[in-house]
Amino acid sequence: RLLAGGDAAVMAIAGRTLLVSIAATAIAMMVGIPLGYLLARARFRGRTIVLAFVNTAMGMPPVIAGLVVWLLLVRSGPLGHLELVYTVRAMVFAQFVIATPLVVGFTAASLQALPEELPDLLRMLGAGRLRSMWLLAREAKLGLLAAVMAGFGAVISEVGAAMTVGGNLQGSTRVLTTAIVTETSRGRVERALALGCVLLLIALAVSSLLTVLQQRGARR
């Protein structure tokens, strides 16, 4: 009934969840894809160690990321003057921290799978740096879309970081995952199920869209 009737509270929480997850994933893409490209193609001392740290961060528990961000944003922290803790922006920041290692790792792996001589070939054909990066990204687009899916899937489903830095404030920072925990703890199983269904539908819709784009790219 909550889903069919378009419950206002449920829809507001769903909209906030989508906003935070899409914003965090988009920022992670803008930062993570160039970093992944550098790790895949640059050669420097300690590169293997950096890749090892990235791969380790890909499995970082979200609650740890939330704790680190909380320590940065709390009033006594180095970024406390920004007064971002327990806000939506703090949640975006925390989810960005979670998603970025995934985007970097998947991007680096997909670009490393390309032939090593391809960048040199593109330069010989007259492609500049930006043009070469664009062409390499097109060749690795299946892996890049997998990076986006992994990042989005990680942030939309996490609860620890959102609870830690957002505070799960009703009408302000409550998202679907934290709302499910809250409603379950209060014994409101029907609302928890409704919120769970909305979360699954959102994840399915976004993943289906990205999968369609990925498979279209695979056929070209």
Side-chain angles (χ1 to χ4, degrees):
R1 290 196 300 271
L2 288 171
L3 293 175
D7 183 82
V10 173
M11 294 302 106
I13 293 172
R16 189 177 304 116
T17 301
L18 199 55
L19 172 66
V20 171
S21 298
I22 289 178
T25 305
I27 300 172
M29 288 171 56
M30 288 188 288
V31 174
I33 290 177
L35 287 178
Y37 176 87
L38 289 176
L39 283 177
R41 292 301 170 184
R43 295 292 182 268
F44 56 90
R45 186 183 299 273
R47 173 175 170 272
T48 301
I49 296 176
V50 174
L51 281 170
F53 274 111
V54 170
N55 292 332
T56 301
M58 290 173 69
M60 176 176 54
V63 69
I64 299 299
L67 176 60
V68 171
V69 173
W70 183 85
L71 290 172
L72 290 174
L73 299 182
V74 75
R75 286 185 179 274
S76 58
L79 301 178
H81 63 282
L82 298 177
E83 298 184 352
L84 293 178
V85 71
Y86 304 136
T87 66
V88 169
R89 286 177 292 177
M91 296 168 68
V92 172
F93 185 16
Q95 293 194 357
F96 157 76
V97 172
I98 295 169
T100 299
L102 290 164
V103 176
V104 173
F106 274 83
T107 300
S110 61
L111 288 171
Q112 283 180 306
L114 298 177
E116 291 188 5
E117 63 275 9
L118 184 56
D120 294 332
L121 178 61
L122 291 174
R123 283 194 293 270
M124 289 177 58
L125 294 174
R129 182 182 296 271
L130 291 178
R131 179 65 175 172
S132 296
M133 290 179 63
W134 170 251
L135 292 173
L136 289 173
R138 287 189 60 183
E139 289 298 315
K141 57 182 175 291
L142 298 183
L144 296 181
L145 284 170
V148 176
M149 284 189 277
F152 181 81
V155 298
I156 198 172
S157 60
E158 73 83 27
V159 62
M163 189 83 75
T164 302
V165 304
N168 194 29
L169 304 178
Q170 185 173 1
S172 177
T173 60
R174 184 165 295 175
V175 291
L176 286 170
T177 51
T178 60
I180 291 170
V181 173
T182 300
E183 299 298 345
T184 302
S185 65
R186 293 175 178 174
R188 300 174 181 175
V189 180
E190 71 285 350
R191 292 191 67 86
L193 287 172
L195 293 166
C197 289
V198 174
L199 179 61
L200 288 174
L201 288 173
I202 291 175
L204 177 61
V206 174
S207 297
S208 296
L209 175 61
L210 293 173
T211 301
V212 169
L213 294 175
Q214 186 186 51
Q215 296 308 305
R216 283 184 178 178
R219 290 194 294 267
R220 292 179 181 177

